Amino acid sequence: MQLALVHARYQLLEIIRIPVAVFGSAFFPAAAMIFFVVPFAGDDAVGATYATASMVTFSVMSANIFQYGVGVAEDRDQPWNPYTRTLPAGPAPRFAGRVLAGLALTYLSLIPVVVIGATLTAAQLTPAAFLLALGTVAVISVPFTLMGLAIGYSLPSKAAIVVAQVVFLPLAFGGGLLSAPGDAPGFIEMIAPYLPTRGAAELMWSAVGDYAVEPLALIMLGVWVVLLAALAGWAYRRDEGRRFS
C-alpha cells in the first residue's frame, strides 16, 4: 500500500504541474451546468438535482476517459516507463497508484459542478444522500477507468487523444446525460440503456433522489465493465509483450 501511495503522489504531482489538465476535466461539465442546467432547470428542485447528478456523471466520464486514455498512452512513450516495469515491486503498485490518483482527480473535477449546483440552482440534497452520491462516484468511475486504460494501452498518444474525443460525446449524448430522466428524444431513450453512461447516470439519479434504476441499464453496465476489463487486460498484456519481446 505504501508503494501505491508513493506512485499516486508521483502521478498527482505530474498532473498538477500542468494545471490545464485538471481544468479541462472540470470545464465542460461546469460550462454545461451554467449554460443549460441553471437557466432551464435551476428553479426546479427535483429537476436541478437530477441535472446536477447527470453533470457529475458527465464529469466522471470526462476525467477518467481522458486521464487514463491520454495519460497512459503518453506515459508509454516515455523512456522511463519500460524501466519502471522491470523494478522488483512489479506493476501492481504503479497500477494501484494510478487508480488512486485518478480517483482523487475525479473528485477534484466535481467541485465546480457541485458548487454551481449548490449556489445557482434549487438542487437539494440531504447529508446522507450526499455521502451516498460520493460513494456512487467511485462505483461509476470503474467502467470509464477501464475504457481509458483500454484506449491508453492500445494506441499511441496521438491516436488515443482522437479516440477519446470521438468516444466521449456520443456516450454523453447517447446515454441521455444532457436531458432529464425520461425526457430525451425517443431514439436516445431506445439506445441509452445499452450504453455504460446510462447505467452510471441512473445510479447517480437513484443516489440523489427517488429514482428506480432500470434493470436493463444496470445489467448492461455490468456487461460493459466485464468487456472493458477484458479489453484493458488484453491491451496491457499485448503492450507488455511488445516491450519485452
Side-chain angles (χ1 to χ4, degrees):
M1 186 62 183
Q2 185 176 0
L3 286 175
L5 292 175
V6 170
H7 280 287
R9 179 174 176 271
Y10 165 75
Q11 293 285 339
L12 288 171
L13 289 174
E14 282 289 301
I15 295 172
I16 291 173
R17 284 172 183 168
I18 309 175
V20 70
V22 180
F23 174 79
S25 297
F27 173 76
F28 289 108
M33 283 287 295
I34 291 173
F35 290 112
F36 297 104
V37 176
V38 173
F40 296 112
D43 296 330
D44 178 4
V46 175
T49 301
Y50 283 138
T52 302
S54 294
M55 291 302 102
V56 166
T57 308
F58 189 96
S59 186
V60 169
M61 179 178 65
S62 171
N64 285 283
I65 289 179
F66 285 97
Q67 190 180 150
Y68 291 104
V70 179
V72 169
E74 289 179 344
D75 284 352
R76 289 169 54 229
D77 292 337
Q78 303 299 319
W80 176 253
N81 187 61
Y83 170 72
T84 59
R85 296 188 180 191
T86 66
L87 297 176
R94 289 182 65 244
F95 183 79
R98 184 181 290 279
V99 171
L100 289 173
L103 195 57
L105 288 169
T106 296
Y107 281 110
L108 186 63
S109 71
L110 298 179
I111 293 176
V113 172
V114 174
V115 170
I116 292 170
T119 59
L120 300 182
T121 76
Q124 298 177 351
L125 209 60
T126 65
F130 181 75
L131 292 176
L132 180 58
L134 285 179
T136 304
V137 165
V139 174
I140 67 172
S141 294
V142 173
F144 305 117
T145 296
L146 293 171
M147 186 177 296
L149 290 171
I151 293 171
Y153 281 119
S154 299
L155 302 168
S157 56
K158 291 182 179 179
I161 294 173
V162 175
V163 171
Q165 291 173 335
V166 169
V167 165
F168 173 66
L169 282 178
L171 284 178
F173 282 105
L177 298 186
L178 302 182
S179 56
D183 287 346
F187 173 70
I188 298 298
E189 289 293 331
M190 182 175 65
I191 66 171
Y194 298 96
L195 299 178
T197 37
R198 185 52 174 238
E202 292 200 7
L203 286 176
M204 284 302 306
W205 293 337
S206 68
V208 302
D210 186 20
Y211 182 87
V213 177
E214 185 179 351
L216 177 59
L218 197 59
I219 291 170
M220 290 307 302
L221 181 62
V223 171
W224 275 101
V225 168
V226 172
L227 291 176
L228 290 169
L231 181 59
W234 169 81
Y236 177 80
R237 290 191 298 271
R238 188 188 68 159
D239 186 59
E240 285 282 288
R242 287 181 174 179
R243 298 279 176 177
F244 296 103
S245 59

